[in-house]
């Protein structure tokens, strides 16, 4: 099967995606056109941001040819994906996934995910000449037979890892520690943004693999929590960590903005974000 590597991105406000004579046609607000042949089977993904237009014919063709169509906000946050009706026909695959949870196999999968995450972190640490995770957490993971303890080992390893790599970031921008929720500083926001992009890429990949994104092995099951997506993200996070470390060498204080936001019903605060131009640049470079 030919690998679909071509990606169509509608990120210019006022762009139009249509279909004409076996081609997708993109027309920007200045009237300039680009054409992409459907029959060459190279198109793997279409991204449509808020503020752009898509014809129903183009969406039908995307569904027929099995092309992922992602709908995003102007800031690049994914909100929906177009799926073919045939995507739900692979019942045996999902049954096998259900049968693997929970049992001894699910614990082995969880261990594999944690070990892969630690190994990925070691690649980043080694690249920058930092102290690697020693064999202690790795051996602990291999011996452990409780999921809660496994998560504790993973969490402690990650805390040490971020403490090390944050030392690579310029002191004026360096956060005190890694935060994922209610982030106030721009660097943690940058990590979160990169992980958000990774998250929906993994989510779409799992849909294409006919798996249930909300039934995982390492992360717990909860309403609205795509556990398997979060599981598989662990394998690839180190690639985004390396990207952010490199990108931080290019940013300056002037690239960040402060926004006043409500943190509770009676409390306001200022949160630091990377500006819109840099945000688009980050998204485009990660997509590339």
């Amino acid at each position: 099967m030919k690998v679909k590597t071509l990606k169509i991105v509608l990120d210019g406000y006022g762009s139009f995606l249509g279909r004409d004579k076996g081609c997708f046609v993109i027309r920007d607000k200045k009237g300039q056109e680009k054409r992409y042949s459907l029959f060459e089977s190279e198109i793997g993904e279409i991204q449509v941001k808020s503020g752009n237009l898509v014809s129903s014919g183009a969406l039908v063709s995307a569904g027929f040819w099995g092309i992922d169509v992602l709908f995003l906000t102007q800031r690049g946050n994914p909100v929906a994906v177009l799926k073919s009706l045939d995507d739900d026909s692979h019942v045996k695959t999902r049954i096998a996934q259900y049968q693997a949870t929970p049992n001894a196999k699910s614990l082995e999968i969880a261990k594999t995910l944690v070990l892969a995450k630690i190994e990925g972190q070691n690649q980043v640490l080694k690249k920058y000449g930092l102290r690697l995770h020693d064999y202690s957490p790795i051996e602990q993971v291999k011996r452990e037979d409780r999921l809660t303890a496994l998560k504790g080992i993973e969490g402690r390893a990650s805390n040490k890892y971020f403490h090390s790599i944050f030392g690579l970031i310029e002191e004026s921008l360096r956060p005190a520690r890694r935060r994922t929720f209610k982030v106030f500083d721009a660097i943690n926001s940058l990590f979160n943004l990169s992980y958000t992009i990774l998250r929906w890429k993994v989510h779409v990949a799992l849909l294409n693999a006919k798996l249930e994104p909300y039934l995982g092995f390492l992360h717990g099951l909860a309403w609205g929590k795509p556990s398997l997506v979060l599981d598989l993200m662990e394998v690839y996070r180190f690639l985004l960590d390396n990207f952010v470390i490199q990108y931080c060498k290019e940013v300056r204080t002037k690239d960040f903005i402060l926004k006043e936001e409500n943190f509770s019903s009676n409390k306001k605060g200022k949160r630091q974000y990377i500006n819109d131009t840099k945000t688009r640049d980050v998204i485009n470079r990660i997509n590339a």
Side-chain angles (χ1 to χ4, degrees):
M1 181 182 292
K2 188 175 183 180
V3 177
K4 297 181 178 181
T5 57
L6 188 60
K7 186 180 302 180
I8 296 176
V9 180
L10 273 71
D11 58 357
Y13 195 87
S15 295
F16 170 76
L17 174 65
R19 182 189 64 184
D20 180 53
K21 297 178 182 178
C23 293
F24 282 127
V25 180
I26 295 181
R27 189 178 301 112
D28 64 21
K29 59 185 178 182
K30 296 180 181 178
Q32 296 178 326
E33 281 191 3
K34 287 184 179 179
R35 288 178 169 261
Y36 300 87
S37 174
L38 277 165
F39 304 111
E40 294 178 3
S41 300
E42 293 181 347
I43 303 167
E45 184 177 293
I46 298 173
Q47 294 183 16
V48 182
K49 284 188 178 180
S50 175
N52 296 295
L53 302 173
V54 185
S55 75
S56 58
L59 293 177
V60 169
S61 292
F64 180 81
W65 288 91
I67 299 170
D68 298 331
V69 182
L70 306 175
F71 298 92
L72 305 96
T73 66
Q74 267 294 308
R75 289 187 62 84
N77 292 320
V79 293
V81 58
L82 176 69
K83 284 181 60 180
S84 168
L85 292 177
D86 290 338
D87 283 351
D88 290 325
S89 62
H90 296 254
V91 180
K92 289 184 178 179
T93 301
R94 294 194 296 279
I95 289 175
Q97 183 183 356
Y98 299 146
Q99 290 174 337
T101 309
N103 59 23
K105 181 181 287 186
S106 68
L107 183 62
E108 287 304 310
I109 294 172
K111 286 184 179 183
T112 302
L113 293 167
V114 174
L115 288 172
K117 181 175 184 176
I118 292 174
E119 290 169 5
Q121 290 174 348
N122 268 342
Q123 288 193 45
V124 176
L125 295 170
K126 183 178 180 180
K127 177 177 180 178
Y128 294 100
L130 301 173
R131 183 177 179 180
L132 306 184
H133 291 304
D134 57 31
Y135 285 99
S136 175
I138 295 174
E139 291 303 317
Q140 289 175 28
V141 169
K142 291 178 179 179
R143 293 193 304 267
E144 191 52 63
D145 59 1
R146 296 171 301 157
L147 187 60
T148 52
L150 202 60
K151 292 179 181 178
I153 297 168
E154 180 268 328
R156 290 189 293 274
S158 289
N159 287 338
K160 290 177 64 176
Y161 167 73
F162 277 103
H163 179 75
S164 296
I165 66 172
F166 277 174
L168 299 169
I169 298 171
E170 183 184 329
E171 191 172 0
S172 62
L173 301 174
R174 186 185 307 157
R177 63 187 179 91
R178 175 75 182 117
R179 289 180 178 271
T180 59
F181 182 65
K182 290 190 175 180
V183 174
F184 293 88
D185 67 278
I187 300 302
N188 271 312
S189 293
L190 192 54
F191 274 96
N192 289 350
L193 173 62
S194 68
Y195 291 155
T196 297
I197 298 169
L198 174 62
R199 176 171 169 167
W200 60 258
K201 286 186 178 294
V202 171
H203 198 134
V204 171
L206 289 174
L207 292 176
N208 289 338
K210 319 309 178 190
L211 291 167
E212 170 52 67
Y214 287 82
L215 182 63
F217 302 96
L218 178 62
H219 291 82
L221 305 182
W223 186 89
K225 183 179 181 179
S227 301
L228 191 61
V229 176
L230 300 177
D231 284 358
L232 269 293
M233 282 178 64
E234 303 294 9
V235 181
Y236 301 101
R237 284 182 190 270
F238 78 98
L239 298 171
L240 279 299
D241 296 340
N242 181 61
F243 170 84
V244 173
I245 291 168
Q246 292 293 321
Y247 197 82
C248 284
K249 296 177 181 179
E250 304 177 23
V251 297
R252 300 293 180 266
T253 306
K254 64 181 178 62
D255 295 320
F256 302 112
I257 56 176
L258 288 174
K259 291 185 178 180
E260 190 175 87
E261 296 184 1
N262 294 320
F263 292 103
S264 65
S265 58
N266 58 0
K267 183 180 178 182
K268 289 189 175 183
K270 289 187 176 180
R271 184 173 289 178
Q272 191 179 41
Y273 290 96
I274 195 165
N275 64 37
D276 290 344
T277 300
K278 285 290 185 181
T279 295
R280 286 193 295 271
D281 184 49
V282 167
I283 293 172
N284 289 339
R285 285 168 67 168
I286 290 177
N287 280 333

